[in-house]
Amino acid sequence: MQMSTTSTPSELVAQVQELLNEEKWTRATLNNYTVASLDELDQTITAIEANGLQQEVLDVCEEHLHHTKNSIIALFISGVLNLSRQSVDDANLIHLTKIFTDNHKWNIVEFLAARILDFGENRFALRILADVYDSENQTEKLHDVWERLIRVDFEEADIVRQLALLREETGRTDAAVEYYKKALHRYVSKKSFSNVKEVWQKLIELAPEETEFFYHAESKIARSISTERAVQLLEDYYPYFVENEEWDQAIEVLKRVLNYDSKNEWARKEITDCFQQKHADHSNLDEYIRISNLSQDWRPVHDAIADFEKHISFDTGNFVHHRTWGVGRIRSIKGDEITIDFAKKRGHEMSLKMAVNALDVLAKDHIWVLRAVWKTEKLRTLVKKNIVWTLKTVIRSLGNAADMKKIKGELVPAILKQSEWSSWSTKARSILKTNPDFGTLTDRLDHFVVRDQPITFEEKTFNKFKAQTSFFDRVKTLEEFLAYVEDEAGDGIDSEFFREMFEYFAGFVRNASTVTEHTVSSLLVVSDVVSRFPFLRQDLELDFKRLYEHIENVEELFVQIDSSDLRKRFLSSVRAVDREWGDTYVRLLPHHLSRDALVELEKHGRRDLLLKFVSQTHENYRDFREPFVWAVRNCSDDPWFDEIGLTLEKRLIAMIHICDLTFREIDNRKEVSANRKINKQVQTWLFRDGNLSEYIKTADRDSVARLFTLVSDVKDLDPKTLLELRELVVERFPDYHFHGEEEASVVATRGFFTCESSYEAKQKEYTHLQRVEVPDNTKEIEKAVAYGDLSENAEYKAAKERQDSLNNRAARLKLELSQARIVKQDEIETDRVQFGTIVELSDLENNGDSLRYTILGPWESNPEADVISYQTPLGNKLYNSAVGDELDFEINEKRHHFVVKGIEAADLSAAG
């Protein structure tokens, strides 16, 4: 069987064919094969891989197997080659292993199983290996294989139980308990109640105090098997607490039974007995049982329990709360009369019936009680020093479910100052997320609870996963779990919590009758998980190409994938299956702006499509602002813009237009958040990064004039920015004349003209900003800061954005008010066109049509009403002209040809 590993590629393929023919002709029996002969085949495989002949040899082997299905050589070579190519096709090696297993060739079986496992954990190989070690009585190796097997086979329960028993027998009780728990969950999934019951009994024996686990398992059993079975198990759990006189837990178990079966006579009798035991020293016990009808079958049991618990809590020395009088303490109860000492109403008497309806009973460690009986400074010191104790106290006081807003309500300002809350709450949030004593409500993730037993990271993550309603939030949660698993060297991947999360996404893959963003995203998620843990593949068909071919609208689906990481994986997968992937990239890139994607196009020889994308972003920048702005900000150093003739000046012009467009849409309350984001990016690139100013320093006069004119027309641009650019232009071109030439240019350097009514309106606007809007915003920020955790605080971010907007408006108004020069009605002269005049023109470009423009300032400008600012390009050209003047000029590549026919004074009282 020995082959030369120094043969040429063609010789290697021929030698494999020769080996197969020799095996067939000689009819080699199983006895002819040893581990050594398989080792020799492995050397052949190494030579095949070194020469890149895998596919050719696979074709030869598959052809041979078509005629000789039990060929040892063909099965072995093709099986190893398939697995070495990271394929999950282990069928040939499994078939080969079964052949030797049936013939009890255990040394070869062990070798083959180990060979399969060289490529990753495999349930079949591990089971075969376990059988080998079991038949050879290699107990230690057998148990090691069992450990590996239960990590990859989530359905295996019997071996988990056996491993639990082994740990119990060797005195490792804590470890045994964890394995019994795992076995119980797996038996529940298999709906094997007899086994569930046996393991349940074992856990009662070993870890009866782990009530959280028992209650979680009981809920799962009720859902998966039946409520009747859940009741049976609770009935088995109950005696432990009675024997140990743990009446609160005994009552809790019985309440859970009654939640499933409110007519359960046994549970009703037992809960009455438990209440009698718990409150044996209460002076009115028998009376409260009687009036609550707890032992009477005719009254609904839950109503009776609630009534009894309300009454029994009224006892001498207990604390109560009244919505008006606050916290008080019961001084005495005599018959139907109760006497209570409130802080400002001592010795207050009322009937028991009235007390039950009007008062809430408080535990001695309730936060309201502590605030009432402790000195404030003592409580404040403890709250600041011991955050864990404080959180437990407040959350339990609020019914063991509270969010940060409710927690704050109990502490600020009664105990903590507003200024202390921010730092305290940040620490508290961190504790609530990481401390195992705290969990969250399964249906409300922002509501925290105190756990009777510490919660594991796996369970906390799973609870978060279950409570989430967004598919893509669940993707993030699974990723968090996987990151934790990798940090823990794989621990947790075999947990029942991970299994349920994984199966959620696997379910979409298995039932992909319609292709949606959830189906495709699930395939990407599952494929990624399987690449890390190949044994999870099982029966899953992870065929991206098949799904991709059934997508009706790729662009529409891609937009719905609300995860940048999944979008990136989607693009990578598209490149692998779509011959026209480049065109698809160009369509999808506006929705997933990625430099990596552009580099991929260039790397794979699709520079033409890369340039097409860049060109399209510019041609359609008004509609696709974000892609264009992204390209300018991230790709300016690349040669792509120059290659399509998109000069720096053209980029600057487009960015200035976008700046103006976004300002206007913000003012019109249109997509405000998105426009603010883009506007901020544009202003940063143009002004703060200095791209516009640097260009002005080197560009020719005409280019500077074009750009400055555009910038001057940008609505709501900070005047300070415009003045800085103006100074830069004057420094470069000292003789440069701005709009309005002579007088207008002189005024422009100092400020601008306006009328009195406009000035007063701007003053009112500025005063309202300073006295109303800014203080209101300050309160909004303080309120948002109080919620803590500013990194995830939407209210805070929104308030801060508004603060920036208000500050910019205030600064701009203040500067404009200081620069404005008021023009009075009697100052207007009509010998020339100037501020406050109405000019009549004959439009020679349009058959002498008559036009009338009112020339005012930037505050009064209203082009729709033919009121234009003298600072605009048109106003600048008309400024200082006289009757009879012929004006011929271009603005934005459009010719204008006028004759001034008349000039008159405008009514400034109506201008503002």
Side-chain angles (χ1 to χ4, degrees):
M1 196 178 291
Q2 183 68 44
M3 288 178 58
S4 173
T5 57
T6 59
S7 304
T8 64
S10 59
E11 289 173 340
L12 274 173
V13 176
Q15 288 173 13
V16 170
Q17 185 68 66
E18 186 179 337
L19 274 178
L20 294 172
N21 291 334
E22 181 183 340
E23 178 191 42
K24 179 180 178 182
W25 295 330
T26 60
R27 297 187 179 182
T29 64
L30 290 179
N31 291 328
N32 293 109
Y33 294 96
T34 63
V35 170
S37 57
L38 294 180
D39 266 331
E40 289 178 7
L41 287 177
D42 257 334
Q43 294 174 26
T44 300
I45 292 170
T46 301
I48 291 168
E49 291 175 334
N51 285 275
L53 300 172
Q54 293 96 318
Q55 190 58 52
E56 291 179 56
V57 173
L58 273 172
D59 292 342
V60 170
C61 290
E62 291 302 326
E63 175 63 25
H64 186 76
L65 287 169
H66 185 69
H67 303 289
T68 313
K69 65 179 183 179
N70 288 335
S71 167
I72 304 301
I73 296 173
L75 288 170
F76 184 79
I77 292 177
S78 62
V80 173
L81 286 177
N82 271 324
L83 288 179
S84 66
R85 299 172 76 185
Q86 296 185 324
S87 166
V88 294
D89 185 4
D90 55 7
N92 286 351
L93 278 182
I94 288 176
H95 180 51
L96 181 61
T97 305
K98 287 180 178 178
I99 291 173
F100 284 105
T101 300
D102 292 343
N103 288 273
H104 305 291
K105 299 289 185 179
W106 299 118
N107 59 334
I108 295 180
V109 170
E110 182 178 0
F111 173 85
L112 290 172
R115 197 70 182 89
I116 295 172
L117 293 169
D118 285 340
F119 299 99
E121 298 292 63
N122 180 289
R123 287 181 295 174
F124 171 81
L126 287 169
R127 287 192 179 279
I128 289 294
L129 208 52
D131 290 341
V132 171
Y133 294 145
D134 189 29
S135 67
E136 296 176 350
N137 293 318
Q138 297 189 55
T139 306
E140 189 173 335
K141 287 185 177 182
L142 173 63
H143 294 165
D144 288 342
V145 171
W146 278 358
E147 293 284 359
R148 293 167 65 184
L149 178 59
I150 65 170
R151 287 170 61 85
V152 302
D153 188 348
F154 292 155
E155 295 181 0
E156 178 52 61
D158 293 337
I159 291 177
V160 178
R161 186 175 176 183
Q162 287 180 266
L163 288 169
L165 182 60
L166 287 170
R167 280 157 177 73
E168 183 185 358
E169 290 173 345
T170 55
R172 292 178 290 167
T173 304
D174 290 344
V177 167
E178 293 306 311
Y179 276 76
Y180 278 126
K181 287 179 182 178
K182 193 186 300 291
L184 185 134
H185 277 300
R186 295 188 179 191
Y187 282 132
V188 172
S189 297
K190 293 163 76 77
K191 303 186 188 307
S192 176
F193 182 71
S194 60
N195 285 307
V196 168
K197 186 174 178 68
E198 290 172 8
V199 176
W200 179 276
Q201 293 287 3
K202 177 58 72 173
L203 284 167
I204 292 175
E205 176 188 333
L206 298 178
E209 296 294 339
E210 294 201 29
T211 53
E212 296 279 0
F213 167 79
F214 282 103
Y215 296 152
H216 173 75
E218 156 246 308
S219 299
K220 188 174 179 180
I221 291 161
R223 293 193 308 270
S224 302
I225 303 177
S226 70
T227 56
E228 290 79 13
R229 295 301 195 189
V231 168
Q232 286 183 40
L233 297 178
L234 288 170
E235 290 173 352
D236 291 342
Y237 192 28
Y238 169 72
Y240 168 80
F241 297 112
V242 174
E243 290 165 10
N244 290 275
E245 298 184 355
E246 294 184 28
W247 304 117
D248 285 333
Q249 286 297 346
I251 290 167
E252 174 62 24
V253 171
L254 293 167
K255 284 182 178 180
R256 297 179 83 89
V257 170
L258 290 165
N259 283 337
Y260 292 122
D261 179 11
S262 61
K263 302 293 185 181
N264 191 306
E265 295 180 5
W266 169 84
R268 184 162 191 154
K269 177 183 179 303
E270 289 297 320
I271 203 168
T272 303
D273 292 344
C274 287
F275 278 135
Q276 289 175 322
Q277 293 294 331
K278 177 182 177 181
H279 302 290
D281 296 333
H282 197 290
S283 56
N284 291 310
L285 172 63
D286 293 336
E287 176 65 11
Y288 292 161
I289 288 178
R290 184 189 65 78
I291 62 178
S292 66
N293 297 299
L294 185 60
S295 57
Q296 303 300 313
D297 293 343
W298 60 266
R299 189 174 188 195
V301 67
H302 298 298
D303 293 344
I305 290 172
D307 199 359
F308 172 78
E309 289 184 325
K310 181 77 173 179
H311 279 83
I312 202 69
S313 59
F314 284 89
D315 199 9
T316 302
N318 285 355
F319 290 94
V320 294
H321 179 268
H322 187 275
R323 64 179 180 274
T324 302
W325 305 322
V327 175
R329 194 170 191 179
I330 299 173
R331 181 194 295 179
S332 64
I333 300 177
K334 296 179 180 177
D336 191 43
E337 290 295 322
I338 182 170
T339 304
I340 306 167
D341 290 326
F342 293 102
K344 296 182 180 180
K345 201 173 182 68
R346 302 184 68 80
H348 181 73
E349 295 181 353
M350 63 172 64
S351 69
L352 180 61
K353 183 177 181 180
M354 181 180 292
V356 168
N357 292 325
L359 304 176
D360 294 312
V361 178
L362 306 179
K364 290 183 174 65
D365 58 354
H366 195 288
I367 189 65
W368 296 351
V369 173
L370 299 180
R371 289 206 316 241
V373 302
W374 285 21
K375 290 185 177 179
T376 302
E377 192 55 38
K378 175 186 175 183
L379 186 56
R380 182 168 175 269
T381 300
L382 181 58
V383 166
K384 293 178 70 175
K385 181 179 179 182
N386 195 332
I387 297 177
V388 172
W389 172 86
T390 305
L391 288 170
K392 288 183 177 181
T393 299
V394 174
I395 291 171
R396 283 175 173 146
S397 298
L398 296 172
N400 201 25
D403 59 10
M404 288 302 294
K405 186 175 182 180
K406 291 178 181 176
I407 293 171
K408 181 188 177 184
E410 298 302 327
L411 299 177
V412 179
I415 301 170
L416 294 176
K417 299 176 183 176
Q418 177 64 50
S419 58
E420 296 172 321
W421 169 254
S422 181
S423 61
W424 189 95
S425 64
T426 299
K427 296 173 185 175
R429 285 179 185 274
S430 177
I431 290 170
L432 289 169
K433 287 181 179 180
T434 58
N435 191 307
D437 289 341
F438 298 97
T440 58
L441 292 180
T442 55
D443 57 343
R444 300 186 70 183
L445 291 176
D446 60 342
H447 278 61
F448 301 96
V449 299
V450 181
R451 299 265 303 196
D452 290 333
Q453 282 91 36
I455 187 171
T456 62
F457 174 85
E458 291 95 329
E459 185 176 354
K460 185 174 280 191
T461 305
F462 177 65
N463 289 341
K464 176 181 176 182
F465 184 90
K466 283 199 303 182
Q468 289 169 325
T469 56
S470 163
F471 174 91
F472 292 102
D473 284 344
R474 288 186 165 186
V475 172
K476 291 177 186 175
T477 300
L478 180 66
E479 288 295 338
E480 289 172 9
F481 184 88
L482 290 171
Y484 164 81
V485 166
E486 290 180 346
D487 287 343
E488 297 295 319
D491 287 346
I493 203 68
D494 59 337
S495 74
E496 305 310 311
F497 301 118
F498 169 75
R499 178 184 179 180
E500 289 197 35
M501 289 189 286
F502 179 77
E503 282 299 317
Y504 171 79
F505 297 105
F508 282 99
V509 177
R510 291 192 185 97
N511 303 303
S513 54
T514 57
V515 181
T516 68
E517 68 275 14
H518 293 165
T519 312
V520 173
S521 297
S522 292
L523 179 70
L524 296 172
V525 168
V526 171
S527 297
D528 178 59
V529 176
V530 168
S531 71
R532 304 188 213 182
F533 308 100
F535 60 84
L536 290 170
R537 175 146 189 172
Q538 302 175 41
D539 61 333
L540 293 168
E541 184 181 351
L542 303 178
D543 188 349
F544 179 83
K545 183 177 181 180
R546 182 183 64 82
L547 279 188
Y548 182 71
E549 289 171 347
H550 286 84
I551 297 175
E552 293 183 3
N553 187 319
V554 174
E555 190 172 351
E556 187 176 300
L557 182 142
F558 185 76
V559 171
Q560 297 301 317
I561 298 177
D562 189 16
S563 164
S564 59
D565 184 58
L566 287 179
R567 286 182 178 179
K568 182 177 179 181
R569 284 189 241 167
F570 182 89
L571 288 174
S572 178
S573 299
V574 166
R575 186 165 59 79
V577 303
D578 187 351
R579 290 184 178 181
E580 304 298 326
W581 66 271
D583 293 310
T584 305
Y585 266 39
V586 172
R587 297 205 322 272
L588 299 183
L589 272 171
H591 310 291
H592 179 72
L593 300 169
S594 165
R595 185 174 174 78
D596 290 341
L598 293 179
V599 171
E600 282 292 307
L601 286 169
E602 186 165 38
K603 187 169 73 174
H604 290 87
R606 300 314 308 268
R607 193 179 185 86
D608 58 323
L609 292 174
L610 186 158
L611 297 178
K612 178 182 177 182
F613 167 75
V614 176
S615 178
Q616 285 179 347
T617 61
H618 176 251
E619 291 170 5
N620 303 290
Y621 70 79
R622 288 175 177 81
D623 295 322
F624 294 98
R625 299 167 199 174
E626 188 175 4
F628 178 74
V629 172
W630 176 86
V632 170
R633 293 176 66 228
N634 293 276
C635 307
S636 282
D637 293 334
D638 294 293
W640 307 326
F641 287 112
D642 293 333
E643 287 184 33
I644 61 172
L646 191 58
T647 63
L648 178 56
E649 182 178 343
K650 289 181 179 178
R651 279 174 264 163
L652 288 164
I653 288 171
M655 292 290 269
I656 294 168
H657 279 158
I658 292 173
C659 187
D660 186 50
L661 282 169
T662 50
F663 265 133
R664 292 180 186 280
E665 292 195 359
I666 291 169
D667 196 42
N668 292 328
R669 311 303 299 170
K670 182 179 178 182
E671 297 181 359
V672 175
S673 296
N675 277 306
R676 275 182 180 156
K677 176 184 174 183
I678 295 171
N679 183 277
K680 187 175 182 179
Q681 292 172 346
V682 171
Q683 288 205 64
T684 298
W685 187 83
L686 283 172
F687 309 121
R688 291 176 197 155
D689 294 347
N691 285 291
L692 181 55
S693 59
E694 287 301 312
Y695 185 76
I696 288 174
K697 291 176 183 178
T698 59
D700 60 56
R701 190 185 189 96
D702 288 342
S703 295
V704 170
R706 278 193 295 272
L707 290 169
F708 188 79
T709 300
L710 286 172
V711 174
S712 300
D713 289 340
V714 173
K715 178 179 173 59
D716 292 335
L717 185 66
D718 187 346
K720 183 179 177 183
T721 299
L722 191 60
L723 286 174
E724 289 172 353
L725 290 175
R726 184 188 293 272
E727 291 171 2
L728 191 60
V729 173
V730 171
E731 183 181 332
R732 180 89 198 286
F733 303 107
D735 60 340
Y736 187 91
H737 291 288
F738 297 96
H739 302 317
E741 300 295 333
E742 302 159 3
E743 182 181 3
S745 64
V746 174
V747 174
T749 59
R750 300 193 307 268
F752 58 92
F753 294 132
T754 189
C755 62
E756 191 167 10
S757 57
S758 294
Y759 187 85
E760 289 174 354
K762 292 293 182 180
Q763 273 191 321
K764 288 180 181 178
E765 182 182 349
Y766 180 71
T767 300
H768 186 266
L769 262 176
Q770 294 292 79
R771 295 182 180 178
V772 179
E773 294 187 55
V774 171
D776 285 350
N777 175 248
T778 301
K779 292 177 182 176
E780 288 175 4
I781 292 174
E782 290 176 353
K783 184 178 178 181
V785 167
Y787 295 143
D789 196 1
L790 302 185
S791 64
E792 300 178 7
N793 192 326
E795 292 89 346
Y796 175 77
K797 291 177 181 177
K800 288 295 288 182
E801 282 185 8
R802 177 159 171 74
Q803 184 185 58
D804 291 341
S805 175
L806 291 173
N807 288 341
N808 287 337
R809 280 178 59 200
R812 185 174 67 253
L813 279 171
K814 183 177 181 181
L815 180 63
E816 289 177 354
L817 286 166
S818 70
Q819 293 176 331
R821 177 187 166 187
I822 298 174
V823 176
K824 302 287 182 69
Q825 186 72 42
D826 57 9
E827 293 180 292
I828 300 173
E829 297 180 1
T830 57
D831 57 332
R832 288 186 176 275
V833 175
Q834 58 179 278
F835 181 95
T837 61
I838 299 173
V839 58
E840 183 178 351
L841 304 170
S842 177
D843 186 355
L844 301 183
E845 283 289 299
N846 289 290
N847 302 316
D849 287 353
S850 180
L851 301 173
R852 283 172 63 88
Y853 292 110
T854 302
I855 309 299
L856 296 173
W859 282 351
E860 297 83 17
S861 178
N862 184 3
E864 292 181 1
D866 294 327
V867 179
I868 62 173
S869 168
Y870 68 89
Q871 292 184 339
T872 62
L874 178 59
N876 175 36
K877 294 297 183 181
L878 297 177
Y879 209 88
N880 273 334
S881 59
V883 174
D885 286 354
E886 184 174 341
L887 307 174
D888 193 348
F889 53 86
E890 283 189 4
I891 296 177
N892 293 334
E893 300 181 359
K894 180 182 178 182
R895 187 186 181 200
H896 298 272
H897 193 186
F898 302 128
V899 171
V900 180
K901 304 297 288 184
I903 303 172
E904 61 183 86
D907 182 4
L908 295 187
S909 64

